[in-house]
Amino acid sequence: MFAQASHPTLLIPGPIEFDDAVLTAMSHPSQSHVGAPFVQTFGETLTMLRKLFLTTDASAQPLVVSGSGTLGWDFVAANLIEPGEDALVLHTGYFADSFADALSTYGAVPTQLKAPIGARPTLEQIEAALNEKNYKIITITHTDTSTGVLSDIKAISELARRVSPDTLVVVDGVCSVGCEEIRFDDWCLDVVLTASQKAIGVPAGLCIMMMSGRAIETFEARKSKPGSYFASFANWLPIMRNYEAKKPSYFATPSPQLIHALHTSLTQITALPMEQRFKQHYEVSRYVKKSLEDMGLKQLASEEAAQANGMSAVYLPEGITAPELLPKLLAKGIIFAGGLHKEIATKYFRFGHMGVSVTNGDLGHIEKALSALKESLEACKK
Amino acid sequence: MFAQASHPTLLIPGPIEFDDAVLTAMSHPSQSHVGAPFVQTFGETLTMLRKLFLTTDASAQPLVVSGSGTLGWDFVAANLIEPGEDALVLHTGYFADSFADALSTYGAVPTQLKAPIGARPTLEQIEAALNEKNYKIITITHTDTSTGVLSDIKAISELARRVSPDTLVVVDGVCSVGCEEIRFDDWCLDVVLTASQKAIGVPAGLCIMMMSGRAIETFEARKSKPGSYFASFANWLPIMRNYEAKKPSYFATPSPQLIHALHTSLTQITALPMEQRFKQHYEVSRYVKKSLEDMGLKQLASEEAAQANGMSAVYLPEGITAPELLPKLLAKGIIFAGGLHKEIATKYFRFGHMGVSVTNGDLGHIEKALSALKESLEACKK
């Protein structure tokens, strides 16, 4: 197994720390993207994604394309909604603004339903909004990485199916897939998009998605062509179906090394029940948040049910700014992230707790981070 | 140094065989995409790309984004030409059709200038075409990977500047950057787009581009917004400028591991004069093509000057098909690619000779491949 060189422990809301076996897979010798060995690996990877998303519906379709989570917005905006059609964008932080920009780029008309920083739109507000217009899609940021606010995608999906049954339910799961409970089939989700470098535990470079059969039917019923070439379901769906059926296929060259790393991580993740993984992340998150509270620190996400389990976004004590705190933590070998929400960027910090840092307690990442934080805060006060 | 496991030698027109140091860099421990160490690495990588493309013009701009070479077409189509504007697409194989599709997706109007398989449009034909319409861009596939046809981008650029000076000269250099002579400044090129997994010698997963100041001015003078969100210069140019100035910046998460691998490969490549690299690829290519000729095999590219130096696309002898030949080669530890051009796909094969397989003769890849080919052809005849 590849021994990682000594390096500061990265506890930001992605990229996260990677397992040795996953990093070793990144160095896989070169392979043809259409040769039998790689086709087998990619096919198995797509099938394992079905387990990760808890779907057994054969009409659901996984997709993995070189890019980032952002590319997932283009896939949604260019394939599942047509120019002039309406999208309801639930806003719990920075990332809803960006998703709305992506939708506008391809001609869709986003309406944002905003909440104050740290809060989320209520189900009543969402119901009222859904009754106002004929929305083609509703988008939900599951965990908004800028605020640590967790959305209740189960309740929102149930609501949408009840009051606006034709609206596709689209989840931005960039910071949630692999650490938050997501039940693709049971919760009737239509799209969950994510990226490799967060709770899936693979270096950045992959856009990963799961689409429902209903989402694909919606795509197939488009009157206009997809608005993107690289992010076109027309170009990629046949490729994904072929790879999963172990048939070579070509649209654009995938990255064998990143796919091997994803295969390695998914093999580890799906070896245990997903419930266990959700529980581990929940318990560590509660422990972290309790410890932070004991240090007198307050979450941006005010309500407990709205607090993400893969990260914490935390207000700094009065008089201490993130640019003062973060270098002190780095000196102790811990990397946290600064604030991302423009209005309050220097007033808070973000602590990612996902993947091996949570599931492998022997690494000691969480305890080390909490101690370093406590000491650094005290040093800041002096 | 990471010891690559025993594996068949991959000699297709990309992905290619990778240097051990490059593969080791793929396993770099996790880093924040906005932390000082990674910002330094990414910044240096962008600066080294200027050397690779032989540009010292400060107004030129390198760009590296997670994706593939295909994403480069989206960047061109969504940023450098507007809906309704004309593009002249020079056709030397499969990839021109795809580039034309990408242009159409964003509303541009491609006109293809085609040549028979193995040939390329003549300068006279190109001049006549440029005189017919007011083309916003002319696109040239430098090496068409489906046919092994090399275009004379220097002569075409000179011609375009003379007869249609406002037309941007766009080169698809996916299979040429790092092995064919390209002089970005001297030849007045406006865009060269490529990918990581060919002659640059880095695993797949990166779209790499160089744009001229003139291309950027053309983008800035757009009347309409860019047609893509993920492939938008508006979103990425500020990020690339910041990274090169060693300032953290965020639009979408880059892949630190792939960027480290690119940094490693570019450090190796730019340590020697580019002239030497061009010469090595030229000489090995001439040797390969002479050896193939001695076996009675004919190149698809009929004219010597139109034969790529990073690969050979070769007709099989009458009565032998690629599906018969390739498994015999694999049994001898050599992977070539089958045909890609639909009309003649089973009648030819493709042999990539780029990167370490060319520059590091000690590996013995080329000799091993030629011997395996000779023996396999004889076995097919029995």
Side-chain angles (χ1 to χ4, degrees), chain A residues 10-33:
Chain A
L10 189 63
L11 295 168
I12 65 176
I16 68 169
E17 285 292 324
F18 305 120
D19 186 79
D20 285 355
V22 171
L23 279 183
T24 302
M26 287 291 285
S27 297
H28 195 285
S30 199
Q31 277 187 319
S32 167
H33 51 300

Side-chain angles (χ1 to χ4, degrees), chain A residues 16 23 27 30 74 204 229-230 255, chain B residues 16 23 27 30 74 204 230 255:
Chain A
I16 68 169
L23 279 183
S27 297
S30 199
D74 285 69
Y229 184 73
F230 189 67
S255 180
Chain B
I16 68 169
L23 279 183
S27 297
S30 199
D74 285 67
F230 188 67
S255 180

Side-chain angles (χ1 to χ4, degrees), chain B residues 93-146:
Chain B
Y94 177 91
F95 290 91
D97 292 328
S98 304
F99 203 161
D101 278 353
L103 288 162
S104 301
T105 299
Y106 294 96
V109 184
T111 299
Q112 289 210 47
L113 183 58
K114 298 206 176 191
I117 292 174
R120 49 189 195 181
T122 64
L123 290 176
E124 292 69 29
Q125 289 168 330
I126 299 168
E127 180 163 357
L130 283 172
N131 283 325
E132 264 172 34
K133 278 186 204 165
N134 188 12
Y135 287 107
K136 184 72 168 281
I137 64 174
I138 177 172
T139 75
I140 315 158
T141 314
H142 196 184
T143 290
D144 194 293
T145 318
S146 71

Side-chain angles (χ1 to χ4, degrees), chain A residues 38 72 228 270:
Chain A
F38 176 67
S228 169
T270 61

Side-chain angles (χ1 to χ4, degrees), chain A residues 245-327:
Chain A
K246 313 289 160 65
K247 289 184 223 161
S249 196
Y250 175 71
F251 165 63
T253 309
S255 180
Q257 283 69 20
L258 279 167
I259 299 294
H260 272 282
L262 179 57
H263 186 277
T264 301
S265 191
L266 290 176
T267 301
Q268 292 176 348
I269 292 173
T270 61
L272 299 171
M274 287 307 296
E275 283 70 17
Q276 183 173 327
R277 192 171 176 89
F278 302 149
K279 189 162 173 276
Q280 280 176 315
H281 281 86
Y282 173 78
E283 286 175 353
V284 168
S285 176
R286 292 325 311 163
Y287 172 73
V288 165
K289 287 174 175 68
K290 175 69 171 60
S291 305
L292 295 169
E293 198 187 329
D294 291 347
M295 295 181 213
L297 301 174
K298 216 180 114 199
Q299 303 287 316
L300 264 70
S302 40
E303 189 196 342
E304 188 176 311
Q307 290 169 354
N309 294 300
M311 65 168 289
S312 298
V314 189
Y315 282 112
L316 284 157
E318 196 71 37
I320 299 178
T321 66
E324 288 173 288
L325 176 69
L326 299 181

Side-chain angles (χ1 to χ4, degrees), chain B residues 7-11 17 327-336 368-369 372:
Chain B
H7 66 283
T9 304
L10 189 62
L11 295 169
E17 285 292 324
K328 290 195 166 58
L329 280 161
L330 178 58
K332 295 178 192 299
I334 294 291
I335 299 180
F336 283 171
K368 187 179 156 200

